[in-house]
């Protein structure tokens, strides 16, 4: 069942480990270029960083880790890079699902999956089904995902589900139709690789996330780098429109919901 959990309503405990971390894994190509390797070597190396992040999130008690693996715009890349990325995705699913399962990880893939090869679509379904009952960490891979696509598909499904309320929809009506309705909104958004943009990632869901940009290239993003991002997050004061003074009185037991 989908539940609407807007992070803009409740103030998470200060200095807590983020419940949900969303990452744009960028810089694979530049990592390879620096080493005079083909771009694809960077993508292969990047899979190791994914493994490290899953391990680190399990250790730290992060509940949701969401990784942008392939955007709806990445089809514009050279055909050979796209097809190598698809092969890497297939291989990663074939090799990692059992390990994820044994570690209590629930795997979800979000995005317009209809454009993928049927064999890949089947692997995705199998991986999701195999891990569906796990509760330690939800790992979401965004593949052929775009934030605008997500909002549009949610609006279209909402229009079909409740045509009678047309013109009167609230946030709470749309949110359950978004691709990640099963997760709270990201507390911490990280982008590696030096660019400071969202690149059509989770547009709706990042409304009140804390942003962290680092020049570190994704294949070099390790546990220490994640810890630095979390430490930065823990310094922030999340106010969601309120004042600092209100937050201070809130800790004394007053509510500002
Ligand atoms: C991110 O790394 C991975 C994908 C988009 C699939 P890039 O491939 O974008 O790496 P750079 O930005 O060229 O270094
Ligand atoms: C964003 O990276 C998408 C992923 C990491 C999957 P890009 O490297 O494709 O982003 P832009 O196009 O440079 O913004
Ligand atoms: Mg890039």
């Amino acid at each position: 069942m989908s539940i609407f959990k807007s992070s803009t309503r409740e103030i998470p405990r200060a200095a807590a480990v983020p419940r949900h971390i969303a990452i744009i894994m960028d810089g694979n190509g530049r990592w390879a270029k620096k080493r005079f390797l083909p771009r694809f070597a960077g993508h292969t190396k990047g899979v190791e960083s994914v493994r490290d992040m899953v391990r680190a999130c399990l250790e730290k008690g992060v509940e949701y880790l969401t990784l942008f693996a392939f955007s709806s715009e990445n089809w514009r890349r050279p055909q050979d890079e796209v097809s190598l990325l698809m092969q890497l995705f297939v291989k990663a699913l074939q090799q990692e699902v059992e390990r994820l399962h044994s570690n209590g990880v629930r795997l979800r893939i979000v995005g317009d999956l209809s454009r993928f090869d049927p064999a890949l679509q089947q692997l995705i379904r199998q991986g999701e089904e195999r891990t569906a009952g796990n509760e330690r960490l939800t790992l979401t891979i965004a593949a052929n995902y775009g934030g605008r696509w997500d909002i549009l598909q949610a609006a279209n499904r909402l229009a079909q589900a409740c045509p009678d309320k047309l013109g009167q929809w609230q946030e709470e009506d749309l949110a359950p139709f978004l691709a990640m309705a099963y997760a709270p909104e990201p507390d911490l958004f990280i982008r590696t690789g030096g660019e400071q943009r969202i690149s059509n990632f989770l547009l709706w869901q990042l409304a009140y996330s804390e942003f962290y940009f680092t020049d570190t290239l994704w294949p070099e993003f390790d546990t220490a780098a994640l810890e630095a991002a979390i430490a930065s997050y823990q310094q922030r004061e999340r106010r969601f429109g309120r004042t600092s003074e209100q937050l201070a009185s809130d800790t004394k037991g007053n509510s500002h919901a």
Side-chain angles (χ1 to χ4, degrees), residues 24-26 68-71 74 77 191 197 199:
I24 297 189
M25 311 182 285
D26 198 15
F68 203 7
F70 192 88
S71 74
N74 285 144
R77 293 195 176 196
R191 183 172 187 145
R197 53 182 177 243
S199 300

Side-chain angles (χ1 to χ4, degrees), residues 45-144:
K45 185 76 180 160
V47 177
E48 286 178 33
S49 296
V50 172
R51 249 182 244 126
D52 289 351
M53 283 313 107
V54 171
R55 197 181 310 120
C57 286
L58 281 166
E59 277 167 17
K60 292 177 191 314
V62 172
E63 294 170 60
Y64 298 87
L65 173 65
T66 301
L67 303 174
F68 203 7
F70 192 88
S71 74
S72 43
E73 288 72 34
N74 285 144
W75 298 105
R76 297 171 184 158
R77 293 195 176 196
Q79 179 54 44
D80 60 340
E81 181 169 345
V82 170
S83 88
L84 283 167
L85 279 166
M86 293 302 144
Q87 286 171 37
L88 190 61
F89 195 11
V90 168
K91 201 170 137 209
L93 283 165
Q94 285 168 338
Q95 291 180 348
E96 305 294 333
V97 166
E98 275 319 302
R99 194 202 321 247
L100 292 172
H101 183 55
S102 60
N103 282 307
V105 178
R106 172 171 69 142
L107 178 67
R108 300 292 298 256
I109 316 293
V110 294
D112 180 3
L113 306 184
S114 66
R115 196 160 163 192
F116 291 136
D117 189 76
L120 176 52
Q121 291 186 41
Q122 200 192 344
L123 272 175
I124 289 171
R125 271 195 302 276
Q126 285 169 349
E128 288 187 328
E129 278 166 22
R130 177 82 177 126
T131 60
N134 296 332
E135 290 180 346
R136 266 184 85 194
L137 169 71
T138 299
L139 170 65
T140 301
I141 305 293
N144 192 21

